[in-house]
Amino acid sequence: MTVDTLFTITFPLTVPFWALMVFAPTWSITHRIISSPLIILPQLAIYLTLAIPRFPDLWEVVSRPDLDLITAFFGRRDGAAILWAHVIAFDVFIARWMYLDSRERRVHPLLMGPLLVFTLLLSPMGLLIYLAIRTVVGPPRTTPSTERLAPG
């Protein structure tokens, strides 16, 4: 596959997972699918397909961060496609964690839906907002079936 094709399919491969988290967050199948860390495999496969052939250049960029070097590498089509696959994989990983954590903490889906969309677009900001929400909401809520009895 060409760099352009891989770039083009990176985002659409994530859409079903985002749609489940945003539009069907309480559906048991959503929880089962999103609970699997394997949902980031498509993005990781694209990242590796793009990055492995360019590994020497990529390694130079990440092991000796220099703004000019980074600009030159990621300013190329192949570099931009590598960065995009990296970002999308990170976005899915972060959103997956946010979704699962918010379900444990019983954060309302009407709050999480827009936040997950925002995270898709600007993941560091979405994560920061969720961390603030998480602090306000407090620890995960337990249910009778998962509570441990305190030692007597």
Side-chain angles (χ1 to χ4, degrees):
M1 289 189 159
T2 69
V3 168
D4 286 33
T5 301
L6 291 170
F7 172 83
T8 301
I9 67 171
T10 300
F11 180 75
L13 287 173
T14 67
V15 170
F17 305 118
W18 287 97
L20 286 171
M21 290 186 284
V22 172
F23 298 112
T26 60
W27 193 27
S28 64
I29 292 173
T30 298
H31 191 268
R32 199 168 339 144
I33 290 169
I34 302 303
S35 291
S36 172
L38 299 178
I39 68 169
I40 63 168
L41 282 182
Q43 297 78 25
L44 294 178
I46 290 171
Y47 174 81
L48 291 173
T49 301
L50 291 164
I52 289 173
R54 295 150 187 92
F55 187 76
D57 293 337
L58 179 59
W59 180 254
E60 185 179 357
V61 168
V62 299
S63 65
R64 284 186 321 129
D66 172 82
L67 189 55
D68 291 332
L69 193 60
I70 290 170
T71 301
F73 182 79
F74 291 117
R76 300 184 333 224
R77 292 179 78 71
D78 57 345
I82 290 169
L83 181 59
W84 183 244
H86 177 111
V87 167
I88 295 299
F90 176 77
D91 289 353
V92 172
F93 183 80
I94 292 300
R96 176 186 174 272
W97 174 78
M98 288 170 53
Y99 167 81
L100 294 172
D101 190 71
S102 71
R103 301 299 298 151
E104 287 180 13
R105 293 170 191 276
R106 296 194 179 119
V107 178
H108 200 282
L110 290 177
L111 176 61
M112 286 308 299
L115 183 54
L116 286 166
V117 171
F118 187 72
T119 302
L120 169 65
L121 302 172
L122 298 166
S123 59
M125 289 183 218
L127 176 59
L128 185 60
I129 293 168
Y130 181 69
L131 291 174
I133 290 169
R134 190 175 190 263
T135 301
V136 170
V137 169
R141 307 238 170 42
T142 57
T143 58
S145 62
T146 60
E147 286 181 10
R148 293 184 72 187
L149 295 176

